[in-house]
């Protein structure tokens, strides 16, 4: 009786501690030479997959990333954490700038079908675009159940019992496999990718593919018009009395004189 | 006779525990570590290099060039604590291409990011309102024609690519945290850092031991005041026949400016204001380089000698002030700041060059210290030292007789010292050896300039006397009560900025749940001594706001708060702490600043 096969989606994003800078032409943010790392929520997804493998629930973990050549660094990290294989769906930098969640969802769905996986695990959203769409779209494309914002995952018979973090509190649902899961912050603490594992990961297989290999058209359907810094916060003023407040409101024309 | 025992530190029990690191509280005696598996995996290499900076990478490249030439197999590994090459690299920089020409004669065609030639070279003496030009005669240290303005982080990245192409194994994100020794006392290699230790020093679920690298020769290229090199100086008494090292702190900002005001290739150096006002007699100067890349960039910064006496000196604020000078300010008003960083650098020069080799390894680059202070250039010497060390190491490894007759398991690349003495590094440093100490008289900057202009210019170092460095930097501070309290203007958010927004620009980060890597030998000393006598100078000399004296909860006193997450690995605190109580140890690999082409 073989275990579950898992596909983990990993996105390479600008490191969360780095200060973002908008390009002078306002077409996007500066990425050249800037420190990148794996999307923190995807790290949690990889960690969860590895923990399930250690519990012998999962038999194989395939890590996938879509983007330019540097995405391979993120895949090596995933393998150093415990993923068995990696697939790099290569997209050239110019096309990558316009790659949208629907394109990624289509690609990952096709990969999931080709690799005959039982579970797709990704982070709930990427910290660069905060889209929170890819996992849900994959579920729709594959017509699989989805359990998003997972903060606890348990296997019961042929189902997964998932605790979800929702606006109103916590919700527990059961999903039948195959399914799509997206991870939230409190699901686990990812392990460190240590040097001996990084060295071992260099020998694990990493296959390069393109969107065309999966029959996915990555022509953009949306166009980014402008990227700007948030407006500079105006200095506040401390007022000494209610009378002063009323006077200021009158001066600003916010209350009738 | 009754002895009344006075409790000298009545507040000893009130001292909150600050330091939790295992270098101060060994885990062998810590009950929380009982039963934890402390075994380490080990790997064998031929040569291990600590630090992927200009020196380390030049050494790696040279080793592989020699090995490939002679058809020898050589496993060369380079460990780097930054998560990406160049992440912890900071410099002005005005590069003398001498070493690069020797390492890669064809570097221009290989796409090296060295493209901005120096087109004009200026030296000014600044007063509060004006800039007096001082002529740069040929032969003067600060004459830069033929040199290039570069972003050192980018050059380091390029050197890394060349190294990997030659077969060097590069491991960024791996910090070397411990030197390993054979039983005979020679260096065996290093161990990388453990991960998964909680802030209170206890093991977390994610605890994993570092790994060991065993090497026939280990080359240490950690940069100025490296934390492992520090232990080697003591262990092998490498400073027996030289003076102590003296240091400066360099702070730098990268700006995008108005193309109309940009003069690609322009080099400006200044002395004078603000370093000699308000009774400050700082050895200080500024640099400003115009570099044309995709955008018009300006690299501006200052270097201040860490032998200053007034504990109220704030190097970060001095940099902010410098930018407001009428000569510079228009440039910054038109521009946007895109980078900030700081690093200690060596000022000891010739007098402070230590013994360079020991059984099992050697020191390269700024770890021993080959920076030419009047020129403020160290990259070319660092690279050359790495190359010479590589030649010595290669000779030692391939000389079967030397290997067989070695008294220790770790090999000593002895010929490295002779090569340094015979090289242009030695000649260059010897000729300028008296310039920096000449600034230490009561004439301050005027004495130094006069000495350089007269004695150095005429004699080029052939003078028979060698001036000494005086007191080590940490012993130079005068008690706060004897010094003038310096006030610095508030930041305007346009040309000058506050410290915390500057630190944010470095992209630095450390795990919030790890023991602070700024360790104190004695947790009670900061309040008892640093604050009491010197009014807490670490609050001012740290360029990242790591140290803060905050009021205790009961309002009756102060305690030291260490914001280890802000640290940008500059090493100034370890150098300048008047109590020498701060010991900088290595945090987890991959942490620290994320400089981009600084």
């Amino acid at each position: 009786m073989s275990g579950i096969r898992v596909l983990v989606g990993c996105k390479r994003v600008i490191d969360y501690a780095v200060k973002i800078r908008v390009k002078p032409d306002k077409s996007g943010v500066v990425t050249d030479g800037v420190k990148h790392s794996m999307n923190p929520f995807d790290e949690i997804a990889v960690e969860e997959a590895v923990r399930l493998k250690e519990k012998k629930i999962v038999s194989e973990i395939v890590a996938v990333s879509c983007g330019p050549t540097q995405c391979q660094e993120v895949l090596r990290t995933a393998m150093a954490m415990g993923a068995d294989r990696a697939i790099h769906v290569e997209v050239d930098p110019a096309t990558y700038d316009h790659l949208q969640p629907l394109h990624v969802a289509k690609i990952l769905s096709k990969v999931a079908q080709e690799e005959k996986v039982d579970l797709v695990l990704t982070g709930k959203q990427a910290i660069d675009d905060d889209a929170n769409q890819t996992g849900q779209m994959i579920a729709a494309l594959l017509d699989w159940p989805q359990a998003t914002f997972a903060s606890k995952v348990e296997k019961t018979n042929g189902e997964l019992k998932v605790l979800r973090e929702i606006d109103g509190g916590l919700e527990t649902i059961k999903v039948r496999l195959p399914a799509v899961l997206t991870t939230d912050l409190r699901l686990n603490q990812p392990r460190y990718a240590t040097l001996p594992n990084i060295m071992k990961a260099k020998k694990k297989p990493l296959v390069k593919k393109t969107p065309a290999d999966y029959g996915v058209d990555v022509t953009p359907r949306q166009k980014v018009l402008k990227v700007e810094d948030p407006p500079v916060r105006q200095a506040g003023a401390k007022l000494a009395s209610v009378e002063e407040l009323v006077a200021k409101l009158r001066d600003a024309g916010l209350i009738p004189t | 006779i009754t002895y009344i025992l006075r409790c000298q530190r009545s507040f000893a029990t009130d001292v909150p525990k600050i330091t939790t690191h295992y270098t101060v509280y060994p885990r062998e005696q810590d009950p929380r570590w009982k039963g934890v598996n402390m075994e380490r995996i080990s790997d064998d290499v031929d040569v291990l290099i600590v630090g992927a900076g200009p020196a380390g990478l030049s050494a790696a490249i040279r080793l592989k060039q020699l090995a490939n030439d002679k058809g020898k197999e050589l496993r060369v590994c380079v460990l780097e604590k930054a998560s990406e090459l160049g992440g912890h690299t900071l410099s002005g920089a005005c590069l003398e291409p001498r070493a690069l020409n020797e390492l890669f004669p064809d570097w221009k065609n290989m796409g090296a990011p060295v493209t901005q030639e120096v087109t004009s070279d200026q030296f000014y003496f600044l007063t509060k309102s004006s800039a007096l030009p001082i002529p740069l005669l040929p032969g003067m240290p600060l004459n830069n024609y033929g040199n290039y303005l570069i972003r050192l982080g980018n050059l380091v990245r390029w050197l890394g690519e060349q190294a990997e192409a030659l077969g060097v194994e590069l491991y960024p994100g791996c910090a070397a945290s411990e030197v390993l020794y054979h039983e005979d006392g020679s260096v065996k290699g290093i161990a990388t850092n453990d991960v998964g230790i909680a802030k209170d020093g206890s093991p977390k679920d994610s605890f994993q031991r570092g790994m060991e690298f065993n090497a026939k020769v280990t080359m240490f290229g950690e940069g100025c005041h490296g934390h492992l090199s520090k232990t080697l100086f003591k262990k092998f008494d490498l400073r027996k026949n030289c003076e102590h090292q003296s240091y400066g702190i360099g702070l730098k900002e990268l700006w995008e400016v108005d193309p109309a005001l940009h003069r690609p290739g322009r080099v400006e150096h200044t002395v004078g204001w603000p370093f000699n006002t308000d009774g400050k007699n700082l050895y200080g100067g500024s640099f400003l380089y115009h570099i044309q890349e995709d955008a018009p960039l300006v690299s501006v910064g200052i270097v201040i000698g860490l032998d200053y006496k007034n504990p109220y000196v704030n190097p970060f604020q001095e940099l902010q002030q410098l930018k407001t000078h009428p000569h510079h300010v228009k440039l910054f008003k038109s521009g946007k700041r895109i980078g900030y960083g700081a690093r200690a650098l060596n000022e000891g020069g010739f007098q402070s060059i230590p013994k360079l080799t020991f059984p099992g390894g050697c020191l390269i680059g700024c770890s021993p210290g080959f920076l030419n202070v009047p020129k403020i250039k160290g990259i070319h010497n660092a690279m050359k030292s790495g190359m010479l060390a590589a030649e010595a190491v290669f000779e030692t490894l391939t000389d079967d007789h030397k290997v067989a007759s070695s008294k220790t398991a770790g090999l000593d690349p002895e010929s490295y010292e002779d090569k340094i003495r015979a090289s242009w590094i030695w000649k260059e440093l010897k000729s300028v050896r008296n310039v920096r100490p000449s600034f230490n008289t009561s004439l301050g900057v005027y004495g130094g300039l006069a000495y350089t202009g007269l004695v150095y210019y005429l004699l080029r170092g052939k003078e028979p006397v060698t001036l000494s460095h005086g007191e080590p930097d940490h012993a130079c501070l005068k008690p706060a009560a004897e010094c003038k309290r310096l006030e610095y203007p508030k930041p305007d958010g346009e040309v000058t900025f506050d410290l915390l927004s500057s630190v944010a620009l470095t992209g630095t980060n450390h795990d919030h749940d790890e023991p602070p890597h700024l360790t104190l030998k004695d947790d009670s000393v900061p309040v008892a001594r640093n604050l009491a006598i010197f009014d807490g100078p670490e609050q001012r000399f740290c360029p990242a706001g790591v140290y803060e004296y905050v009021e205790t909860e009961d309002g009756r006193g102060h305690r030291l708060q260490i914001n280890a997450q802000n640290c940008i690995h500059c090493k100034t605190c370890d150098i300048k702490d008047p109590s020498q109580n701060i010991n900088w140890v290595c945090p987890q690999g991959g942490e620290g600043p994320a400089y981009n082409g600084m």
Side-chain angles (χ1 to χ4, degrees):
Chain A
M1 174 73 144
S2 55
I4 303 174
R5 293 165 54 78
V6 175
L7 180 87
V8 185
C10 310
K11 189 179 184 187
R12 177 178 180 261
V13 298
I14 295 180
D15 185 86
Y16 72 91
V18 168
K19 194 143 163 72
I20 306 289
R21 201 161 48 93
V22 176
K23 280 198 225 173
D25 64 3
K26 301 207 181 193
S27 63
V29 300
V30 176
T31 53
D32 248 355
V34 174
K35 179 177 170 184
H36 284 66
S37 37
M38 197 194 300
N39 181 32
F41 295 109
D42 296 338
E43 271 184 345
I44 294 174
V46 174
E47 174 64 24
E48 195 59 25
V50 176
R51 286 191 189 188
L52 288 171
K53 183 157 179 240
E54 286 169 346
K55 288 193 199 132
K56 306 259 196 288
I57 297 170
V58 161
S59 62
E60 195 186 17
I61 305 171
V62 183
V64 185
S65 190
C66 304
T69 323
Q70 297 97 318
C71 288
Q72 299 192 6
E73 292 159 12
V74 156
L75 290 171
R76 292 277 171 218
T77 306
M79 290 193 283
M81 287 170 72
D84 301 293
R85 301 189 276 122
I87 300 175
H88 170 212
V89 183
E90 180 147 31
V91 178
D92 68 82
T95 316
Y96 186 62
D97 273 345
H98 309 295
L99 198 68
Q100 274 130 31
L102 184 56
H103 300 134
V104 177
K106 285 184 178 172
I107 294 170
L108 291 185
S109 311
K110 283 278 174 0
V111 179
Q113 286 173 323
E114 248 190 49
E115 297 291 327
K116 298 196 181 43
V117 301
D118 308 296
L119 180 61
V120 173
L121 263 172
T122 69
K124 67 173 181 181
Q125 64 201 58
I127 60 171
D128 50 7
D129 61 11
D130 276 341
N132 192 346
Q133 295 168 9
T134 309
Q136 291 88 331
M137 285 177 171
I138 296 174
L141 288 167
L142 291 172
D143 198 23
W144 285 5
Q146 58 180 268
T148 52
F149 315 112
S151 70
K152 193 153 172 216
V153 177
E154 280 165 19
K155 183 155 190 297
T156 55
N157 303 322
E159 298 178 325
L160 289 177
K161 190 165 126 190
V162 180
L163 184 66
R164 302 179 61 226
E165 294 185 33
I166 59 173
D167 288 342
L170 296 169
E171 179 190 58
T172 312
I173 63 173
K174 271 203 214 139
V175 285
R176 254 172 292 189
L177 294 173
V180 177
L181 238 73
T182 71
T183 64
D184 208 326
L185 200 60
R186 274 154 283 270
L187 179 56
N188 61 47
Q189 262 280 332
R191 66 195 60 194
Y192 298 92
T194 54
L195 188 51
N197 292 329
I198 293 173
M199 288 162 97
K200 270 188 230 152
K202 285 202 177 156
K203 303 199 184 87
K204 289 186 181 175
L206 190 154
V207 167
K208 256 203 332 209
K209 296 268 186 154
T210 64
D213 288 338
Y214 294 104
V216 175
D217 174 15
V218 289
T219 326
R221 305 156 93 111
Q222 294 158 4
K223 185 173 165 193
V224 170
L225 296 175
K226 192 166 56 159
V227 176
E228 279 181 324
D229 279 305
V232 178
R233 193 159 167 243
Q234 297 300 322
K238 242 183 175 163
L239 303 173
S241 67
V242 175
E243 287 77 19
E244 212 187 324
L245 173 64
V246 172
K248 279 215 189 268
L249 288 172
R250 276 216 187 93
D251 285 340
L254 293 166
I255 53 174
T257 43
Chain B
I1 305 166
T2 332
Y3 285 94
I4 302 169
L5 284 165
R6 280 173 158 273
C7 187
Q8 280 205 308
R9 297 223 174 86
S10 57
F11 42 78
T13 49
D14 297 314
V15 175
K17 186 162 178 184
I18 302 172
T19 303
T20 55
H21 202 271
Y22 62 79
T23 48
V24 181
Y25 298 100
R27 291 173 289 192
E28 294 84 14
Q29 288 131 33
D30 189 333
R32 300 171 299 180
W33 288 87
K34 205 159 163 195
V36 175
N37 186 357
M38 297 299 264
E39 263 179 46
R40 282 192 286 225
I41 299 178
S42 80
D43 201 359
D44 293 322
V45 304
D46 292 305
V47 182
L48 182 69
I49 300 175
V50 178
L57 290 172
S58 300
I61 289 169
R62 192 81 194 102
L63 274 169
K64 274 303 205 180
Q65 283 174 341
L66 289 166
N68 294 342
D69 271 346
K70 303 262 166 61
K72 293 256 181 200
E73 285 283 331
L74 207 63
R75 187 173 178 206
V76 178
C77 283
V78 182
L79 299 179
E80 167 56 47
K81 64 174 168 42
S83 63
E84 293 174 6
L85 253 57
H88 291 182
T89 302
L90 183 108
S91 185
C94 183
L95 175 77
E96 204 180 288
R98 204 167 179 183
L100 187 58
N101 291 340
E102 290 182 22
L103 189 65
F104 289 118
D106 198 28
W107 58 263
K108 279 208 182 115
N109 295 328
M110 291 167 79
V114 179
T115 49
Q116 180 66 70
E117 286 186 39
V118 170
T119 54
S120 89
D121 202 359
Q122 314 294 326
F123 187 54
Y124 296 100
F125 186 93
L126 295 182
T127 64
K128 185 158 178 126
S129 50
S130 58
L132 307 168
I134 298 187
L136 281 172
L137 306 165
M140 293 293 267
L142 274 177
N143 192 307
N144 281 307
Y145 291 101
N147 294 335
Y148 290 81
L149 299 176
I150 63 165
R151 297 168 67 177
L152 186 58
N154 292 345
L155 179 61
V156 164
R157 219 180 278 156
W158 180 84
L159 285 172
E161 288 163 20
Q162 307 315 310
E164 280 195 309
L166 285 168
V168 173
E169 287 174 57
L170 281 179
Y171 296 114
C174 295
S177 72
E178 194 188 323
V179 182
L180 302 170
Y181 294 95
H182 289 287
E183 290 207 351
D184 58 29
S186 62
V187 170
K188 185 177 170 189
I190 61 95
T192 62
N193 60 285
D194 298 340
V195 292
I197 304 179
K199 194 165 178 170
D200 64 7
S202 61
K204 294 196 279 198
D205 288 332
S206 50
F207 174 72
Q208 281 188 70
R209 208 59 173 123
M211 78 178 266
E212 296 184 1
F213 278 95
N214 300 329
K216 305 196 181 103
V217 182
T218 308
M219 303 169 80
F220 291 86
E222 301 176 286
C224 174
H225 206 73
H227 66 285
L228 292 181
S229 308
K230 217 170 45 176
T231 64
L232 294 168
F233 281 121
K234 262 202 229 123
K235 173 109 177 154
F236 295 105
D237 204 10
L238 300 172
R239 288 214 179 280
K240 196 156 68 161
N241 296 322
C242 71
E243 290 203 34
H244 58 269
Q245 185 63 267
S246 88
Y247 300 90
I249 179 174
L251 298 100
K252 164 186 169 165
E253 291 182 353
L254 198 60
W255 284 72
E256 251 177 45
V257 299
D258 183 348
L261 297 173
H262 194 240
R263 306 271 173 273
R266 184 176 168 88
V267 168
E268 288 185 24
H269 291 110
T270 76
V271 291
W273 187 89
F275 310 113
N276 60 348
T277 56
D278 269 336
K280 292 177 281 180
N281 200 357
L282 303 178
Y283 175 76
S286 82
F287 61 86
L288 200 150
Y289 304 141
H290 294 241
I291 306 178
Q292 180 62 53
E293 289 203 346
D294 292 332
L297 297 176
V298 160
S299 168
V300 61
I302 62 169
V303 174
I304 294 186
L306 283 176
D307 58 349
Y308 64 81
K309 300 189 173 53
N310 184 338
Y312 290 105
V313 167
N314 188 323
F316 173 78
Q317 294 294 349
E318 298 282 333
L319 171 59
Q320 301 309 310
Q321 263 209 296
L322 173 91
K323 289 183 284 174
T324 63
H325 191 275
H327 179 78
H328 289 319
V329 73
K330 264 209 289 289
L331 194 61
F332 299 115
K333 282 213 162 113
S334 83
K336 183 166 193 249
R337 188 174 73 152
I338 63 173
Y340 163 77
R343 183 75 169 89
L345 44 80
N346 301 302
E347 296 193 339
F350 187 78
Q351 292 90 321
S352 305
I353 300 177
K355 183 163 190 294
L356 298 169
T357 73
F358 41 85
C362 58
L363 300 173
I364 57 176
C366 281
S367 282
F370 298 109
L371 190 130
N372 181 327
V373 183
K375 271 209 255 192
I376 44 165
K377 287 184 182 54
I379 304 168
H380 63 304
N381 287 343
M383 289 175 70
K384 181 68 174 170
S385 73
M387 292 156 66
L388 292 174
E391 286 166 19
V393 167
F394 188 76
E395 274 168 25
T396 311
L397 284 176
T398 53
D399 184 337
D400 294 325
H401 174 73
K402 259 203 196 121
V403 174
S405 63
S406 169
K407 292 194 200 76
T408 53
L411 302 173
D412 187 335
E414 289 166 317
S415 54
Y416 171 39
E417 281 224 26
D418 296 324
K419 289 184 195 286
I420 290 277
R421 279 171 203 267
S423 73
W424 41 261
I425 302 178
W426 196 259
K427 272 205 267 299
E428 189 184 312
L429 291 180
K430 186 158 188 199
S431 77
V432 298
R433 72 191 183 284
N434 286 323
V435 174
R436 170 67 179 95
S438 71
F439 282 74
N440 285 347
T441 65
S442 52
L443 295 172
V445 61
Y446 305 101
L449 287 175
Y451 184 92
T452 312
L454 297 170
V455 184
Y456 173 75
Y457 188 61
L458 296 173
L459 294 178
R460 301 299 165 87
K462 293 200 187 60
E463 61 269 30
V465 60
T466 297
L467 301 175
S468 168
H469 287 316
E471 291 277 308
D473 296 333
H474 59 81
C476 291
L477 280 184
K478 286 211 192 119
E482 295 173 24
C483 300
K484 176 174 177 184
R485 200 191 183 99
L486 300 168
E487 296 295 337
Y488 293 94
K490 272 193 155 54
D492 62 17
E494 193 194 351
V495 172
T496 60
F497 300 90
D498 65 297
L499 185 59
L500 288 181
S501 65
S502 309
V503 176
L505 270 184
T506 65
T508 191
N509 196 27
H510 297 83
D511 195 338
H512 67 282
D513 192 19
E514 90 177 280
H517 63 281
L518 296 323
T519 67
L520 305 174
K521 294 182 198 149
D522 181 339
D523 281 346
S524 66
V525 165
V527 171
R529 197 160 181 272
N530 288 23
L531 185 62
I533 305 177
F534 303 101
D535 204 4
E538 54 269 62
Q539 298 174 102
R540 288 177 280 277
F541 62 57
C542 173
V546 169
Y547 300 97
E548 268 186 291
Y549 283 95
V550 296
E551 269 193 22
T552 47
E553 278 75 30
D554 58 18
R556 275 194 284 149
H558 288 85
R559 62 176 179 86
L560 177 64
Q561 178 171 287
I562 298 186
N563 306 314
Q565 272 179 280
N566 290 4
C567 180
I568 56 176
H569 297 206
C570 77
K571 315 293 174 58
T572 302
C573 57
D574 196 307
I575 294 166
K576 188 59 174 168
D577 177 12
S579 310
Q580 288 290 278
N581 190 37
I582 300 173
N583 187 30
W584 193 99
V585 297
C586 205
Q588 288 173 175
E591 298 183 343
Y595 294 139
N596 180 8
M598 287 292 272

